């Protein structure tokens, strides 16, 4: 019952699937969010940005302009981001529900997800995985951030309704733009990841809130 749709999704009304976005967490909620994301793309293509700029080809981490003297809290095991943080020598912590996703050299920076109330307020830069939309924890994490923190949300779903994120205190959204849908779906169906589709069937995009 976790995923009761196989063979039944094609041809269903999008409005029916949108209801799943506000239902229980898990796969069903993710299907609803994905539907909202797809519909929002149509809206984005027919209206200019309002209060934010879209930079194609810019990685969200680069857009955050993290300084070596800043404290960074990363929610989710973003391996490329963790690599960059170690490279610049920034003090950082990783909040993660599954520590097995981290390598041995990343474990010194690991903090249990339950410690968010203690760790998040330390952040000068707070980087959050878009998966928090699916497990319904994004709002509580943003609420824990100090007022001066730069909040970055990263994931393929976060560009769906940028206004909603920016109105809630986010500064940067990092997502993707699919440039070749058929090729992209083929890669995903065969178990591919960003290493296989970036620069080929999709590009990174960063949305930045304007002052």
């Amino acid at each position: 019952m976790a995923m009761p749709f196989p063979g039944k999704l094609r041809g269903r009304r999008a409005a029916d699937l949108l209801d799943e976005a506000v239902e229980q967490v898990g796969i069903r909620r993710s299907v609803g969010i994905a539907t909202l994301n797809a519909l929002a793309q149509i809206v984005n293509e027919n209206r200019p940005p309002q209060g934010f700029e879209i930079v194609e080809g810019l990685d969200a981490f680069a857009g955050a302009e993290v300084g070596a003297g800043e404290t960074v809290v990363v929610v989710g095991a973003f391996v490329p981001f963790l690599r960059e943080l170690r490279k610049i020598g920034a003090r950082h912590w990783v909040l993660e529900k599954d520590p097995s996703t981290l390598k041995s050299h990343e474990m010194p920076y690991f903090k249990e997800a339950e410690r968010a109330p203690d760790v998040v307020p330390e952040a000068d830069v707070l980087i959050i995985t878009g998966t928090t939309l699916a497990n319904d924890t994004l709002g509580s994490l943003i609420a824990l951030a100090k007022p001066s923190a730069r909040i970055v949300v990263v994931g393929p779903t976060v560009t769906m309704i940028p206004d909603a994120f920016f109105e809630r205190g986010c500064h940067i959204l990092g997502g993707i733009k699919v440039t070749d849908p058929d090729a992209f779906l083929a890669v995903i169906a065969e178990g591919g990841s960003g290493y296989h589709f970036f620069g080929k069937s999709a590009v990174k995009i960063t949305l930045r809130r304007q002052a």
Side-chain angles (χ1 to χ4, degrees):
M1 288 304 296
M3 185 59 181
F5 303 127
K8 303 175 184 177
L9 276 175
R10 185 183 298 273
R12 291 185 63 180
R13 296 179 68 250
D16 296 337
L17 292 175
L18 286 178
D19 293 338
E20 302 290 346
V22 292
E23 294 297 328
Q24 59 192 5
V25 297
I27 296 177
R28 296 183 66 144
R29 185 183 180 99
S30 297
V31 169
I33 291 173
T35 304
L36 176 59
N37 199 19
L39 293 175
Q41 181 62 30
I42 298 172
V43 176
N44 291 336
E45 292 172 353
N46 288 281
R47 71 162 190 175
Q50 299 176 12
F52 62 92
E53 62 174 340
I54 303 173
V55 185
E56 192 169 308
L58 178 66
D59 181 83
F61 184 86
E65 300 180 339
V66 177
E70 294 185 300
T71 295
V72 183
V73 173
V74 183
V75 180
F78 287 106
V79 174
F81 290 4
L82 301 181
R83 186 186 306 120
E84 290 300 317
L85 287 168
R86 293 194 303 274
K87 187 182 299 183
I88 66 176
R91 178 174 181 260
H92 64 281
W93 305 111
V94 186
L95 287 169
E96 174 57 57
K97 289 187 174 183
D98 182 7
S100 68
T101 59
L102 298 170
K103 297 180 175 64
S104 58
H105 63 272
E106 295 166 338
M107 286 304 294
Y109 309 99
F110 166 71
K111 298 289 185 181
E112 296 83 358
E114 294 74 20
R115 296 189 60 185
D118 301 318
V119 178
V120 171
E122 296 185 28
D124 297 309
V125 181
L126 176 60
I127 302 175
I128 308 174
T129 171
T131 304
T132 53
L133 286 169
N135 63 29
D136 204 21
T137 58
L138 179 60
S140 60
L141 288 165
I142 291 175
L144 291 171
K146 62 184 179 183
S148 60
R150 299 196 302 285
I151 300 174
V152 183
V153 185
V154 183
T157 60
V158 301
T159 53
M160 55 183 177
I161 306 179
D163 318 56
F165 291 92
F166 293 132
E167 288 170 4
R168 286 162 177 76
C170 298
H171 298 80
I172 294 173
L173 306 179
I176 70 172
K177 177 181 178 181
V178 176
T179 55
D180 187 336
D182 291 337
F184 183 85
L185 286 173
V187 169
I188 295 299
E190 295 176 12
S193 65
Y195 297 104
H196 306 100
F197 57 68
F198 280 129
K200 299 171 183 176
S201 57
V203 295
K204 296 179 181 180
I205 61 170
T206 293
L207 281 62
R208 296 189 291 204
R209 187 173 69 184
Q210 295 174 335

